[in-house]
Amino acid sequence: MSCAARILTSSIARSSTLQFAPKRVATSLRYRGKSTLDASKVKKATATATGEASTASSSAAKPATDASSDSVPIGKTVAAMTLAITTVMGVAAVAEVATSQSVPTFDPKKERFDQSSFIGRFSKMILACDPFLMTYSDETARAYKEMVDDYENLLKNLPNGVTEQEMSRKLWEAQRISSAALHPDTGDTIPLPFRMSG
């Protein structure tokens, strides 16, 4: 195959409109330093390329019609979303229960989990992304915020039958809920979908 035919074939194959202009190709070939162009070679390349282009366009049109008849699998999408949300909620519950025995004394300026270990960072993030955080009302979040603000008094004056570790766990949970539901600077309620952003 001649150089002109290869150029024509490759340019037509790459063309999205699949249109051919022999004069434009001939001009571009002359511009590239190929001033001798045999008209019969251009016609032969045009016929070959046009045949390949029409075959390519008919095969390209067929999958497009098949794709338009496909529908979005709503049922599978909802099932996958439900499974993902349930998985995160389950892992968050397991992380909460698994770390409940090793809760440090509450201090709002510190972290509940050791951030130097993977398990500590994972536990912090999985609890921050817990979808269950969307179930707390504005009033509940504000009550938890008041509890966190009054943490020193609660730790000094423990209710009967409540240990310091249990109170610290309740305070850590109250901080998690209130920080997810209330903006830290303004105190405004954070819209539900953004409460899981960590």
Side-chain angles (χ1 to χ4, degrees):
M1 183 183 280
S2 70
C3 179
R6 276 183 274 160
I7 291 171
L8 288 173
T9 305
S10 65
S11 67
I12 289 175
R14 281 184 262 140
S15 172
S16 62
T17 58
L18 299 174
Q19 294 177 352
F20 182 72
K23 290 182 182 177
R24 194 176 303 150
V25 173
T27 306
S28 67
L29 289 176
R30 272 191 229 114
Y31 177 74
R32 294 181 184 154
K34 301 193 188 313
S35 59
T36 57
L37 186 62
D38 187 8
S40 64
K41 288 182 182 179
V42 171
K43 287 181 183 177
K44 185 177 178 183
T46 303
T48 305
T50 306
E52 291 173 4
S54 65
T55 304
S57 67
S58 66
S59 65
K62 187 176 181 181
T65 58
D66 291 342
S68 66
S69 66
D70 291 343
S71 62
V72 176
I74 298 294
K76 290 181 181 180
T77 303
V78 169
M81 181 180 67
T82 304
L83 181 63
I85 291 171
T86 305
T87 301
V88 172
M89 288 176 74
V91 172
V94 168
E96 177 65 34
V97 170
T99 60
S100 65
Q101 300 302 321
S102 61
V103 176
T105 302
F106 181 76
D107 184 357
K109 295 179 179 119
K110 293 184 179 178
E111 296 287 339
R112 174 180 175 179
F113 301 103
D114 178 20
Q115 296 300 294
S116 65
S117 70
F118 171 76
I119 295 297
R121 292 188 302 271
F122 178 78
S123 297
K124 177 185 176 186
M125 291 311 299
I126 200 71
L127 288 174
C129 297
D130 185 7
F132 199 67
L133 291 172
M134 293 190 299
T135 63
Y136 295 102
S137 68
D138 189 28
E139 294 80 28
T140 305
R142 292 196 189 282
Y144 281 133
K145 177 67 173 162
E146 290 174 11
M147 188 175 166
V148 170
D149 290 342
D150 193 32
Y151 79 96
E152 291 174 337
N153 185 31
L154 289 171
L155 287 175
K156 287 179 187 175
N157 305 318
L158 295 171
N160 291 335
V162 178
T163 65
E164 183 179 348
Q165 185 178 15
E166 290 172 345
M167 181 55 74
S168 289
R169 182 177 179 209
K170 288 179 183 180
L171 286 167
W172 285 115
E173 185 66 10
Q175 183 183 31
R176 178 175 85 98
I177 293 166
S178 64
S179 65
L182 301 173
H183 191 278
D185 296 330
T186 63
D188 294 339
T189 303
I190 297 174
L192 289 177
F194 303 109
R195 291 186 183 183
M196 301 185 308
S197 62

